[in-house]
């Protein structure tokens, strides 16, 4: 994260077997409104064959940045996102939120058994999102996968303030 005028750095994770983000753990990049900071959040880039979020978060938060930053890219063969886990890019300032890109067929379209499972049942609360509660716009959410199973989870973009608010 950053408190100054420069941007936060990117986070790059390459896990050759699997990546588990569990029990309120988080991978996060953020900019904070403080010390006159107008910097942008860095991006989060994760590549792994098996991605598991179980009560975990992957997030970027752009508090006062002016440029579109905070891109989240997850590249995997199989992903499970459950138990109130979040993949989110958000902004509360005038700069736009980053976009979220999940793909498991981009780097190797011949993977067998590719899937994304979002949620573990009714009321799970897991989500993939880009949102704005400031004057900046929300980013896009793109998911490319042969199989998406949603079981209590949600995928959304929202803008709750500003000139193009969608709520």
């Amino acid at each position: 994260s950053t408190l100054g005028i420069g941007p936060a750095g990117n986070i790059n994770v390459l896990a050759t077997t699997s990546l588990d983000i569990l029990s309120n753990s988080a991978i996060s990049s953020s900019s904070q409104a403080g010390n006159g900071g107008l910097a942008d959040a860095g991006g989060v880039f994760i590549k792994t064959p098996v991605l598991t979020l179980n009560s975990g978060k992957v997030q970027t938060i752009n508090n006062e940045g002016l440029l579109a930053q905070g891109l989240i890219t997850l590249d995997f063969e199989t992903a499970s996102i459950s138990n109130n886990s979040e993949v989110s890019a958000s902004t509360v300032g005038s700069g736009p939120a980053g976009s979220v890109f999940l793909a498991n067929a981009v780097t190797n379209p011949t993977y067998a058994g590719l899937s994304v499972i979002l949620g573990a049942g009714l009321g799970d609360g897991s989500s993939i999102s880009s949102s704005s509660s400031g004057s900046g716009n929300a980013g896009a959410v793109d998911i490319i996968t042969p199989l998406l199973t949603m079981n209590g989870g949600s995928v959304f973009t929202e803008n709750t303030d500003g000139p193009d608010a969608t709520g």
Side-chain angles (χ1 to χ4, degrees):
S1 74
T2 184
L3 291 173
I5 58 172
N10 290 330
I11 297 172
N12 299 297
V13 178
L14 173 60
T16 58
T17 304
S18 65
L19 177 61
D20 298 331
I21 304 171
L22 312 171
S23 302
N24 298 316
S25 297
I27 296 176
S28 179
S29 180
S30 64
S31 67
Q32 302 296 321
N35 299 329
L38 296 175
D40 299 307
V44 175
F45 306 95
I46 296 173
K47 182 172 180 151
T48 186
V50 179
L51 175 63
T52 302
L53 276 82
N54 188 333
S55 299
K57 293 181 181 181
V58 175
Q59 62 187 3
T60 60
I61 304 166
N62 189 2
N63 281 325
E64 288 295 328
L66 299 175
L67 303 173
Q69 293 292 322
L71 172 69
I72 297 175
T73 301
L74 306 180
D75 186 352
F76 51 83
E77 292 179 30
T78 301
S80 174
I81 302 169
S82 62
N83 292 322
N84 295 307
S85 293
E86 297 177 24
V87 177
S88 65
S90 63
T91 186
V92 296
S94 58
S99 292
V100 179
F101 183 67
L102 281 76
N104 62 5
V106 172
T107 58
N108 187 348
T110 61
Y111 286 150
L114 302 177
S115 64
V116 177
I117 299 172
L118 179 58
L122 184 64
D124 180 280
S126 293
S127 62
I128 301 169
S129 66
S130 181
S131 63
S132 172
S133 58
S135 59
N137 291 324
V141 174
D142 296 312
I143 301 172
I144 300 172
T145 182
L147 176 63
L148 172 63
T149 303
M150 295 182 64
N151 186 7
S154 60
V155 177
F156 63 92
T157 64
E158 72 177 342
N159 185 354
T160 59
D161 197 7
D164 298 321
T166 56

